[in-house]
Amino acid sequence: MANEPLDVAPPDPPRIAWRKQMRERVLREAWLLSTQAGWDRVRVADLAQRAEVSRPSIYAEFGDRAGIGQALVQRETERFLLGVGAVLDRQRGDVRAALEAGVGHALAQARSNPFVAAVVSAAQGGTEALLPYLSSRPEPVFSEARRLVAAWLDVVAPHIPEERRKEAADLVVRLTISHMLLPTPDGDSSPKRVARAAHAVLEMPVDP
């Protein structure tokens, strides 16, 4: 009925609202410092001063400096994958073209997104402070990206056996991260090559 009240969630209690605001301020300052000077130079004392909170409050929320790094990468991962998912969904009718566009978007973000670019540049320069979150640890980036691509393939290619869909999703993510860390001289062709490889795993027709 027109006069029924809207189902609006109640506001957070003051303490929870403060914690959310504090957490976001700390992560925002960690993001800025990481992009400006690299994660190796991010210190809890600096974050406390810049975010205008106490160090004990930061430790209580994140556990330690590594916890801040993990939370920061998790937040950026969610934003990054939302963008990739949106690109994939725009071309659901053409699996190969969609994968090529999605990989292209991811590689472009590695160059233009200040945080992603900072992590990649640091890794290429021999500093791997945040790199483990992008490559070796199961969470958040690798597994979440693989789940995203696999779920998308479940929708757009349900006729392909599940094992091949999972294999293709794994291949796309591994090759994309590899191209982020070790760009090829002809980088513009990388998305096409990754999409072609995934298409072959899916055993779909491939253009010459």
Side-chain angles (χ1 to χ4, degrees):
M1 294 176 62
N3 293 328
E4 288 182 355
L6 297 176
D7 186 12
V8 178
D12 291 324
R15 182 173 179 81
I16 294 178
W18 180 86
R19 281 188 59 186
K20 287 182 177 179
Q21 293 171 5
M22 180 271 290
R23 182 182 181 86
E24 182 56 33
R25 290 203 305 272
V26 172
L27 291 179
R28 183 178 65 246
E29 295 303 331
W31 187 94
L32 288 170
L33 285 175
S34 296
T35 59
Q36 294 168 359
W39 176 252
D40 284 340
R41 297 189 179 182
V42 175
R43 299 289 179 264
V44 174
D46 296 332
L47 294 177
Q49 182 178 15
R50 291 169 64 108
E52 299 181 337
V53 297
S54 68
R55 278 186 287 179
S57 293
I58 293 179
Y59 286 122
E61 178 66 24
F62 296 98
D64 54 16
R65 182 175 173 275
I68 299 171
Q70 185 172 10
L72 179 60
V73 171
Q74 179 67 49
R75 187 186 73 163
E76 293 305 304
T77 295
E78 292 172 357
R79 294 178 176 180
F80 180 84
L81 293 182
L82 278 174
V84 173
V87 171
L88 290 174
D89 280 340
R90 283 200 288 268
Q91 300 192 55
R92 286 194 175 199
D94 187 332
V95 172
R96 183 172 170 183
L99 289 174
E100 183 176 337
V103 173
H105 174 83
L107 296 180
Q109 284 290 299
R111 297 188 296 269
S112 64
N113 181 297
F115 181 77
V116 178
V119 174
V120 172
S121 296
Q124 292 169 341
T127 299
E128 299 186 353
L130 285 175
L131 180 59
Y133 292 105
L134 287 173
S135 55
S136 61
R137 296 185 186 181
E139 299 292 352
V141 176
F142 185 84
S143 293
E144 292 188 15
R146 184 169 54 189
R147 279 195 292 269
L148 170 70
V149 178
W152 181 79
L153 287 172
D154 290 346
V155 173
V156 301
H159 56 288
I160 301 296
E162 180 181 5
E163 193 60 33
R164 291 213 299 271
R165 295 199 305 266
K166 289 182 177 179
E167 184 180 350
D170 184 85
L171 178 73
V172 167
V173 175
R174 289 183 187 276
L175 289 179
T176 301
I177 291 178
S178 176
H179 281 291
M180 283 182 178
L181 301 177
L182 295 171
T184 56
D186 57 339
D188 290 344
S189 68
S190 298
K192 187 182 296 292
R193 285 158 45 192
V194 174
R196 184 187 301 123
H199 224 242
V201 170
L202 292 168
E203 297 186 7
M204 291 179 165
V206 180
D207 296 333

